[in-house]
Amino acid sequence: MIKVRFKLLKSGMFSTYLDIYYKTSDNKSKRSYEFLGIHVHKAYSSSRVRIMEKNQRI
């Protein structure tokens, strides 16, 4: 399973990264992450944030 997540930075912006969960050959769960180098002003992980932002533009 892969999720897009956001980490709050000291500057107030959010860094985007992939949160990756997978099973190894011995059936143990592992987690890794990969930062994408994309910085945004809001954490867009919640669908409510996207709806509120869309409503503000109209």
Side-chain angles (χ1 to χ4, degrees):
M1 176 172 61
I2 300 173
K3 290 186 176 184
V4 176
R5 297 203 181 223
F6 301 90
K7 179 180 178 184
L8 180 61
L9 302 173
K10 288 182 182 180
S11 66
M13 294 187 69
F14 293 87
S15 178
T16 308
Y17 67 98
L18 299 177
D19 202 0
I20 305 164
Y21 296 90
Y22 60 95
K23 292 199 180 220
T24 60
S25 58
D26 56 353
N27 211 22
K28 291 185 179 181
S29 294
K30 291 282 187 168
R31 177 180 178 248
S32 66
Y33 55 90
E34 181 178 337
F35 283 89
L36 301 176
I38 301 170
H39 297 123
V40 294
H41 293 283
K42 289 186 180 180
Y44 293 95
S45 55
S46 170
S47 61
R48 184 168 174 86
V49 171
R50 284 186 231 129
I51 291 169
M52 288 170 46
E53 180 185 341
K54 190 173 186 179
N55 286 340
Q56 289 175 355
R57 288 185 190 170
I58 296 175

